[in-house]
Amino acid sequence: MGRASLAFRGALVHCPTLGRVEILQDHLLLIDDRGFIFYLGPSASVSSQEYIREHGSSVKIIPTGSFLFPTFCDLHLHAPQFMYQGTGLDLPLMEWLDKYAYKAEEGLDESSTLATKVYHRLAQRLIEVGTGAVLLFGTIKTETNLILAQEMQNAGVRAFVGKLSMDKSSRPTYQESGAEESYRSAEEFIQRCRASTAALDSHQRLAEPVITPRFVPTCSDELLARLGELSKRESTRIQSHLA
């Protein structure tokens, strides 16, 4: 067995199936230089003991009473709302969108400096709370979403980044001019997001584009149809709000 890039010994906790928690007491976990687990077994097993004899000094011991478990996966996060989380709960949805959400997103699209600051802190916060993978809603501007993708990539967070598509809006200053512009913008984001990590090995490409029609009230039927075609052609995932 080759030397691991990372090695842990102690209690491990995971959920192998829905509704089932498995606790593995005193196990050895080995991770290769690509970040993949290539060995997991009881520390008392022959293979584990052989590895410990040869490379024991590099094995990180998980303290008694502590345990290691996989990171959380956040399946729906509006990145711009990190700026005002926990506030703005005084209005019904459509009024709230116009007063808080669209205003914040528009501000980020107007300032790359602000976007970098907010998204850098968001990436750090995700790591602090144990989130290793996230499905993100961004804004309508391609460049701002590329900043979001880059900050997640730099932080080591696996991120599926959605550039919002919306050719209708209750805020006239925050919408794309029509289905064609929105479609072309989504297409451009997919290409540029993928290009930003193309030079990396496949296992290092943590940020991926996601087609993101915000929801039905902000998207024309024409736009939704064209985004569906784009998803098929570019083999790109789609996310949105269903309720």
Side-chain angles (χ1 to χ4, degrees):
M1 192 185 311
R3 187 184 182 92
S5 181
L6 279 173
F8 297 93
R9 178 180 180 178
L12 310 175
V13 178
H14 72 141
C15 300
T17 58
L18 183 63
R20 176 186 167 207
V21 176
E22 185 174 57
I23 301 174
L24 306 175
Q25 298 286 0
D26 193 19
H27 271 58
L28 181 67
L29 176 70
L30 304 181
I31 303 166
D32 66 20
D33 58 5
R34 299 177 302 157
F36 294 116
I37 296 171
F38 70 89
Y39 176 79
L40 172 65
S43 296
S45 70
V46 174
S47 296
S48 295
Q49 285 297 306
E50 180 180 334
Y51 185 89
I52 291 170
R53 281 195 301 272
E54 294 182 12
H55 310 292
S57 61
S58 65
V59 177
K60 300 179 185 298
I61 304 299
I62 301 170
T64 301
S66 298
F67 57 87
L68 187 68
F69 66 101
T71 60
F72 296 113
C73 298
D74 190 329
L75 299 181
H76 188 83
L77 193 158
H78 286 259
Q81 293 176 18
F82 180 65
M83 290 195 293
Y84 58 94
Q85 59 183 347
T87 64
L89 305 177
D90 56 316
L91 296 172
L93 176 61
M94 298 309 292
E95 294 177 41
W96 174 86
L97 283 170
D98 186 55
K99 183 176 180 180
Y100 295 105
Y102 294 165
K103 183 178 179 180
E105 292 169 22
E106 195 170 17
L108 289 169
D109 278 350
E110 291 173 349
S111 173
S112 60
T113 300
L114 177 61
T116 300
K117 180 180 179 180
V118 170
Y119 291 156
H120 178 78
R121 184 66 189 95
L122 171 60
Q124 295 305 312
R125 182 59 177 159
L126 289 172
I127 293 173
E128 289 168 6
V129 299
T131 300
V134 59
L135 183 57
L136 293 161
F137 273 55
T139 63
I140 63 175
K141 187 177 180 180
T142 293
E143 287 74 12
T144 309
N145 292 289
L146 291 172
I147 292 172
L148 175 57
Q150 191 60 58
E151 288 298 329
M152 295 296 150
Q153 176 72 38
N154 292 346
V157 176
R158 184 171 297 283
F160 299 89
V161 181
K163 189 212 81 69
L164 298 181
S165 296
M166 44 189 290
D167 60 349
K168 297 190 297 182
S169 173
S170 59
R171 189 179 184 88
T173 57
Y174 189 65
Q175 66 181 41
E176 294 164 302
S177 64
E180 179 64 23
E181 182 202 347
S182 186
Y183 168 82
R184 294 299 178 191
S185 183
E187 183 180 46
E188 178 191 13
F189 174 68
I190 291 171
Q191 294 169 352
R192 292 178 64 183
C193 186
R194 287 175 173 166
S196 70
T197 59
L200 301 174
D201 291 339
S202 59
H203 68 279
Q204 296 176 315
R205 300 170 193 165
L206 302 180
E208 298 182 27
V210 181
I211 294 172
T212 307
R214 188 181 200 116
F215 65 156
V216 169
T218 62
C219 297
S220 65
D221 290 346
E222 179 187 355
L223 175 58
L224 292 175
R226 298 204 66 186
L227 291 177
E229 295 168 1
L230 180 62
S231 172
K232 292 179 181 179
R233 192 179 76 244
E234 297 291 338
S235 299
T236 305
R237 297 175 176 87
I238 301 176
Q239 64 170 337
S240 189
H241 298 94
L242 294 183

